[in-house]
Amino acid sequence: MSDNDSRHEAPSLIGKAAPIVITGGSGFIGSNLADSLLGSGEEVVILDNLSRPGVAQNLEWLKEKHGARVHALLADVRDFSAIEPAFADAKAVFHLAGQTAVTTSLGEPFLDFDVNARGTLNVLEAARRSIHRAPVIFASTNKVYGALDDLKLIEVEDRYVPAAGDIRQHGIGEDRGLDFCTPYGCSKGAADQYVLDYAKSFGVPTAVLRMSCVYGPRQFGNEDQGWVAHFLIRALEGQPITIYGNGKQVRDVLHVRDAVAAYRMLLQSIESVSGQAFNLGGGPANAVSLRRVLAEIAKLIRSECAVEHAEWRPGDQAYFVADTRALQHRLGWKPTVSWRAGLRDLAVWLHDYRGLGAALGDRERISA
């Protein structure tokens, strides 16, 4: 059977206009992206195995808000035969499904590889065989750059600062060499490279976003992933927050509204950026240490956060701020939500939808 013939085998999941497929579409970023696309009139296939606590609520929210244009396929990206029908007539694919925790990868490296590496290969093959040879945009991670142990840092009162002026001004660029560490970094890094190669080897339009710390509404953060939401949830519940290391680690946090804008803009320009990887983060303007985030949370909840300390974890970067100039120059994208405003927005969502923080009800949400 020829390659062209194989693309038409899988039956259409919808039988209407060509949909956009979002793997992990019930997750935090996926559900926000789906909401944005559905709000623009798109048909969206949510491909998810609902394995993460809380994400089923996101799927129900999408169904209630957008009705019949939400098409759910409960399947696992590790099962090619189960997921292939979702891609049959897809016009685009956002691949967000994945194993997201470094700690899980260290404990279960086979699981981590199967989900992140083999799962991504399944998605790429399903897209390649689709009628439209659907473009694929992949959610990668800044962990592909490794622990950045060679980065010279200056320790100040509440954070680390790069000794190099250009990094201090702009952050870490895409020209930084890849240096996979931890099984998670290896599996996501392998997936990252497969996605880029499918543009070269097979002509599938693909692009990669290497993300920093995205946060915002519909995030059910935990200690291993989604630390901004996790910190805020624990504080609102009056529970202690564990800091691994001294809390001076710096990250460039990005509100999910800005992340969604980047994903959509990348799809709009996929023909001109195919086969390329871009950093996606809040950049230097939204670079904050864990200590600074905790201090801001204390202001929001009008109470000091209870903090416990533990040893540094493997692969934890003392400093990562994304240089997003490439994304800005190619797409005209830039972050619009400041980290303080974004943190307030998340706090109000947690109050409105999860009943956390009685004193937060008088605060306004960021408009969509």
Side-chain angles (χ1 to χ4, degrees):
M1 179 180 291
S2 71
D3 185 50
N4 285 336
D5 289 336
S6 68
R7 288 186 219 157
H8 297 271
E9 280 195 319
S12 170
L13 188 69
I14 297 175
K16 297 180 181 179
I20 294 174
V21 175
I22 306 177
T23 74
S26 295
F28 159 50
I29 298 176
S31 61
N32 278 280
L33 177 58
D35 180 47
S36 177
L37 292 166
L38 289 159
S40 298
E42 298 285 358
E43 299 279 336
V44 175
V45 174
I46 304 295
L47 197 165
D48 205 302
N49 66 359
L50 303 184
S51 61
R52 183 159 184 170
V55 299
Q57 298 174 36
N58 289 340
L59 179 57
E60 289 307 309
W61 169 71
L62 288 171
K63 288 180 177 179
E64 290 174 7
K65 185 174 181 180
H66 299 286
R69 285 186 294 107
V70 178
H71 309 273
L73 177 61
L74 303 186
D76 195 304
V77 292
R78 291 172 290 181
D79 187 343
F80 181 78
S81 62
I83 71 170
E84 187 180 18
F87 298 80
D89 56 359
K91 66 179 180 182
V93 177
F94 291 98
H95 179 33
L96 307 179
Q99 192 296 110
T100 58
V102 170
T103 50
T104 298
S105 80
L106 290 165
E108 301 182 73
F110 280 114
L111 168 69
D112 177 77
F113 176 86
D114 285 342
V115 174
N116 289 344
R118 181 57 183 265
T120 297
L121 188 57
N122 284 341
V123 168
L124 288 167
E125 272 298 286
R128 184 168 75 96
R129 299 180 186 189
S130 66
I131 295 170
H132 305 294
R133 196 174 283 256
V136 178
I137 295 175
F138 175 57
S140 187
T141 171
N142 64 33
K143 296 295 186 184
V144 301
Y145 298 117
L148 304 177
D149 290 332
D150 64 318
L151 199 62
K152 293 183 178 179
L153 300 173
I154 301 169
E155 184 176 351
V156 297
E157 182 180 0
D158 65 347
R159 65 193 183 279
Y160 290 111
V161 177
D166 58 335
I167 296 177
R168 198 162 55 243
Q169 182 177 2
H170 300 297
I172 305 293
E174 293 89 350
D175 57 350
R176 172 82 188 189
L178 300 181
D179 182 20
F180 307 157
C181 69
T182 75
Y184 173 74
C186 291
S187 66
K188 290 292 284 189
D192 178 309
Q193 295 300 287
Y194 262 106
V195 171
L196 297 178
D197 185 70
Y198 260 61
K200 300 173 186 175
S201 293
F202 301 110
V204 177
T206 67
V208 167
L209 287 174
R210 294 172 178 160
M211 294 190 295
S212 291
C213 301
V214 181
Y215 70 97
R218 316 221 70 83
Q219 186 174 36
F220 300 91
N222 58 46
E223 195 169 63
D224 294 322
Q225 199 273 333
W227 67 272
V228 176
H230 173 66
F231 280 11
L232 192 48
I233 290 168
R234 295 287 287 182
L236 291 170
E237 291 176 338
Q239 299 294 321
I241 298 165
T242 300
I243 298 294
Y244 294 90
N246 58 16
K248 296 185 180 183
Q249 302 96 305
V250 170
R251 301 289 184 269
D252 60 322
V253 297
L254 181 70
H255 191 273
V256 70
R257 187 183 72 177
D258 288 328
V260 165
Y263 276 96
R264 295 198 62 174
M265 293 170 77
L266 198 61
L267 178 60
Q268 292 170 1
S269 302
I270 191 62
E271 294 302 327
S272 64
V273 299
S274 181
Q276 298 178 49
F278 299 91
N279 289 340
L280 176 63
N286 293 289
V288 290
S289 68
L290 277 59
R291 290 190 181 190
R292 190 167 287 187
V293 170
L294 287 170
E296 189 67 19
I297 289 174
K299 293 179 183 177
L300 285 173
I301 68 173
R302 303 183 178 99
S303 177
E304 289 299 314
C305 301
V307 175
E308 299 174 349
H309 286 271
E311 293 297 318
W312 288 79
R313 295 182 292 187
D316 195 10
Q317 298 156 328
Y319 178 93
F320 189 91
V321 172
D323 182 346
T324 61
R325 286 178 296 173
L327 201 60
Q328 294 181 43
H329 293 161
R330 296 299 297 274
L331 303 182
W333 173 91
K334 64 179 180 179
T336 61
V337 180
S338 71
W339 71 271
R340 287 188 175 89
L343 194 62
R344 289 196 300 273
D345 181 58
L346 174 56
V348 175
W349 180 81
L350 288 168
H351 170 269
D352 292 346
Y353 289 90
R354 297 188 60 180
L356 298 177
L360 297 169
D362 59 341
R363 300 174 187 266
E364 294 183 359
R365 292 281 318 281
I366 291 174
S367 60

